[in-house]
Amino acid sequence: MQSVSPRFFLSKEGRSHMWYVMQVRTGNEFYMKQQCERMISPEAAEKIFIPLTERKVQRNHEWRLEKFPLFAGYVFVISEQVELFQTEMRRLYGFKRLLGADGEIVPLTTAEVTFMEGLGGKEQIVGMSEGFIENDKVVITSGPLVGREGLIRKIDRHKRKAFIEIEMFGRPQKVEMGVEILWKR
């Protein structure tokens, strides 16, 4: 298996920082992000965010566009001082841990960060995709899944969801994304 080095970024001051992932209890992502914003110093974390995906959901017989965490149970942190972040993180209430391997905190790889940037852009909001199905082949015509049809494992046309599988955090992750299938033949 090919090793991919972590991706370094330069802050406004020219210092390097990397993307880390904090695992939290599923359903507590927004609560943990709010705690971090209140209790973590800017020196410990430059940015704390939850990558979101837009999906259409039906409520009261009406389709609405809503945002959901792209990775349930995870909050992302951009930091140049991850040890300081880990120390300050102890003040937060609830289950949380930084992802790592062999007892060490491990940042996202270059490939993972590049994928995330391509999928969600600067704001890390993955919009809806549109496409069609012809002869049992999915063709995405617009949105973040264009050119990524090979990641799609299943489509639920009625709930307007695509279930994709990607390699993230060192293992395969199943993710739900919004997709509108305009026609099928």
Side-chain angles (χ1 to χ4, degrees), residues 63-86:
W63 287 98
R64 298 178 186 187
L65 196 60
E66 294 185 7
K67 294 180 179 125
F68 299 88
L70 183 62
F71 299 100
Y74 296 100
V75 176
F76 287 62
V77 178
I78 297 179
S79 177
E80 60 187 41
Q81 297 185 41
V82 71
E83 293 83 12
L84 177 59
F85 178 82
Q86 187 174 27

Side-chain angles (χ1 to χ4, degrees), residues 11 13 15-18 43-44 46 78-82:
S11 65
E13 297 79 28
R15 297 180 299 213
S16 65
H17 57 271
M18 294 186 286
E43 294 79 29
E46 182 177 317
I78 297 179
S79 177
E80 60 187 41
Q81 297 185 41
V82 71

Side-chain angles (χ1 to χ4, degrees), residues 14-81:
R15 297 180 299 213
S16 65
H17 57 271
M18 294 186 286
W19 291 33
Y20 296 91
V21 180
M22 180 172 48
Q23 184 178 19
V24 302
R25 194 170 312 280
T26 299
N28 287 349
E29 300 90 354
F30 294 103
Y31 172 71
M32 194 60 71
K33 178 180 180 277
Q34 287 174 338
Q35 274 196 78
C36 287
E37 289 170 342
R38 281 194 328 267
M39 301 175 80
I40 302 293
S41 69
E43 294 79 29
E46 182 177 317
K47 184 176 180 181
I48 299 165
F49 63 98
I50 301 167
L52 300 173
T53 181
E54 291 181 333
R55 293 195 319 250
K56 287 186 178 178
V57 293
Q58 192 172 26
R59 303 210 191 277
N60 298 324
H61 307 289
E62 184 179 309
W63 287 98
R64 298 178 186 187
L65 196 60
E66 294 185 7
K67 294 180 179 125
F68 299 88
L70 183 62
F71 299 100
Y74 296 100
V75 176
F76 287 62
V77 178
I78 297 179
S79 177
E80 60 187 41
Q81 297 185 41

Side-chain angles (χ1 to χ4, degrees), residues 42-154:
E43 294 79 29
E46 182 177 317
K47 184 176 180 181
I48 299 165
F49 63 98
I50 301 167
L52 300 173
T53 181
E54 291 181 333
R55 293 195 319 250
K56 287 186 178 178
V57 293
Q58 192 172 26
R59 303 210 191 277
N60 298 324
H61 307 289
E62 184 179 309
W63 287 98
R64 298 178 186 187
L65 196 60
E66 294 185 7
K67 294 180 179 125
F68 299 88
L70 183 62
F71 299 100
Y74 296 100
V75 176
F76 287 62
V77 178
I78 297 179
S79 177
E80 60 187 41
Q81 297 185 41
V82 71
E83 293 83 12
L84 177 59
F85 178 82
Q86 187 174 27
T87 300
E88 291 186 11
M89 187 177 86
R90 292 186 184 118
R91 293 185 269 172
L92 305 176
Y93 177 75
F95 171 80
K96 72 278 179 200
R97 71 180 180 95
L98 288 171
L99 294 186
D102 300 324
E104 288 190 39
I105 301 165
V106 179
L108 293 184
T109 64
T110 302
E112 291 170 331
V113 172
T114 301
F115 179 81
M116 293 292 295
E117 288 175 330
L119 203 60
K122 185 178 179 179
E123 297 299 317
Q124 282 302 302
I125 298 174
V126 180
M128 289 279 296
S129 293
E130 287 186 346
F132 59 89
I133 299 174
E134 187 165 30
N135 299 327
D136 292 329
K137 182 180 178 194
V138 177
V139 178
I140 302 297
T141 56
S142 67
L145 288 175
V146 169
R148 295 182 171 109
E149 291 89 346
L151 299 175
I152 298 172
R153 298 295 172 252
K154 178 183 170 186

Side-chain angles (χ1 to χ4, degrees), residues 169-181:
F169 321 135
R171 64 181 193 271
Q173 295 286 326
K174 292 181 177 146
V175 178
E176 294 178 20
M177 294 177 58
V179 66
E180 184 86 49
I181 299 298

